[in-house]
Structure formats: C-alpha cells, structure tokens
Amino acid sequence: MYTELEEAIHFVFIKFKNKKRIKEDIPLVFHSISVATMLLEEKCDYETVLSGLLHDIIEDSDTTYEELKDKYGVRIADNVLWLSERQEISDFRQRKKEFLARISKAPTNIILIEIADKLQNLLSDYHLYKRDGKEALATLNTTYEMNKWYYLELLKIFEAKVTNSKLLDRYKEIVDIYFND
C-alpha cells in the first residue's frame, strides 16, 4: 500500500503520462517532483509539499477540481486552484495580470509553492541560457521581455510576502542572472 505522498506521485505520473517539458525532452512529471523536492528542502509542511507536487495537475491534465477534492480533500484542491492560471484568458499579459492579482493575496504556503514552481522553470532553462543567451528565455508564445516583466512582477510579490527563505534567495539569484540587463 502506498503512503498518500507515494500515491500522489503515482497519480501525477499517470496524469502526465507521455507529456514532455516544453523546452526539454524529459517527462513533464520531473517538474512536479522537483517542485515538491524544493519544498521538502525548504522544510515546508506536508500539505504544502503535497500541494506543490500537484500544483499543475488541473492546468496541465484532464484532472478537475472535484476529482482532486475527492482524492485529496478540499484544502489540497483549493491550494492547487490558487496556483492554476485561468486558461480561458488567452492573452498572455491579461492572464498573468489576473494571476498576479490573485497570488498577491495568497497565504505564505501558496507563495512558497509558486516560488518553487517558477524557480524550477528558470533552472530548467539555464543550460539553454548559457548556450543561447536571453533568447532561450522566450517560448513559442512569449518574448524575453514578456517573461522578464512577469518574473520581476512575481519577485515583488514574493519579497513582500516571504522572508528567510532559501527558495526566495535562489529565485532572486537566477532572476538577477537572467533579467539584469
């Protein structure tokens, strides 16, 4: 019998089966496990770690809020919902503005998950950045400048909400490397 965390890892593997990271030829599940690991290293509570593992499950799979609530309870489902962008907003800047406004009101555990999420995204681009420069930080739908704006706006929120965090220190370090131009 799996523990709840082991079962959640299994669940994420099933839900992300055959999905890859956008810029890397590795399974998408690597991101979720990395985020959860960062939160464990930050000494976050169990609920935060579990929520971090599941943070993209609504946004990047066919999992619904109701399914998540039935499987892990309302607190975990609500945490994941905090971290899910509204995909019905197609314009990048408008979608991100809505998310920034919402995340700025989030409790500290949600902010820590978001820091780990964005840190892991930035770390996964590091080898590309070293090779290709700032253009490696663009995606199919965004430019370097759009991403710079978004990650710097997140930094303002993170710094206002969190203190004494190794995750935040790492986030600031990589944001400075990428976007201090």
Side-chain angles (χ1 to χ4, degrees):
M1 287 177 32
Y2 287 139
T3 65
E4 185 179 40
L5 185 58
E6 291 166 344
E7 193 287 321
I9 292 169
H10 186 253
F11 180 72
V12 170
F13 265 89
I14 290 169
K15 290 294 187 169
F16 291 160
K17 184 178 182 180
N18 300 323
K19 293 189 179 212
K20 301 274 188 175
R21 296 276 296 162
I22 292 172
K23 295 182 186 176
E24 297 177 289
D25 189 27
I26 62 172
L28 179 60
V29 72
F30 171 78
H31 173 71
S32 298
I33 291 172
S34 293
V35 168
T37 301
M38 289 176 179
L39 295 166
L40 278 169
E41 290 173 347
E42 186 78 1
K43 309 273 189 265
C44 291
D45 63 61
Y46 177 78
E47 184 179 283
T48 301
V49 173
L50 184 59
S51 299
L53 175 68
L54 297 166
H55 77 279
D56 276 339
I57 204 77
I58 291 174
E59 199 172 290
D60 292 339
S61 79
D62 62 356
T63 306
T64 64
Y65 172 85
E66 290 301 320
E67 180 181 2
L68 208 56
K69 185 175 78 167
D70 291 346
K71 197 165 190 63
Y72 299 103
V74 70
R75 288 172 59 108
I76 299 298
D78 284 351
N79 288 349
V80 173
L81 203 54
W82 268 108
L83 297 155
S84 299
E85 290 187 9
R86 293 185 44 212
Q87 297 303 309
E88 69 272 14
I89 302 173
S90 59
D91 179 73
F92 173 86
R93 190 176 273 281
Q94 291 306 315
R95 186 174 63 253
K96 299 302 185 186
K97 280 183 176 180
E98 186 281 331
F99 183 76
L100 290 165
R102 189 162 29 96
I103 206 77
S104 70
K105 299 175 186 125
T108 303
N109 68 319
I110 299 301
I111 298 296
L112 287 169
I113 297 167
E114 188 62 16
I115 293 170
D117 175 26
K118 296 309 184 253
L119 174 61
Q120 202 289 317
N121 286 341
L122 292 171
L123 291 172
S124 70
D125 287 340
Y126 189 70
H127 68 283
L128 296 172
Y129 176 78
K130 293 298 278 182
R131 186 188 70 202
D132 301 333
K134 68 182 185 179
E135 291 312 310
L137 303 174
T139 65
L140 294 173
N141 300 315
T142 64
T143 65
Y144 167 82
E145 290 299 325
M146 293 164 78
N147 285 316
K148 177 180 177 180
W149 165 79
Y150 181 56
Y151 282 101
L152 291 175
E153 289 298 311
L154 282 169
L155 179 58
K156 292 175 193 172
I157 294 168
F158 297 163
E159 288 180 321
K161 305 275 280 183
V162 174
T163 57
N164 296 328
S165 167
K166 291 179 186 173
L167 277 176
L168 180 56
D169 292 343
R170 290 178 70 197
Y171 181 85
K172 288 194 284 193
E173 179 182 1
I174 199 159
V175 163
D176 187 56
I177 290 168
Y178 287 173
F179 302 119
N180 188 12
D181 49 28

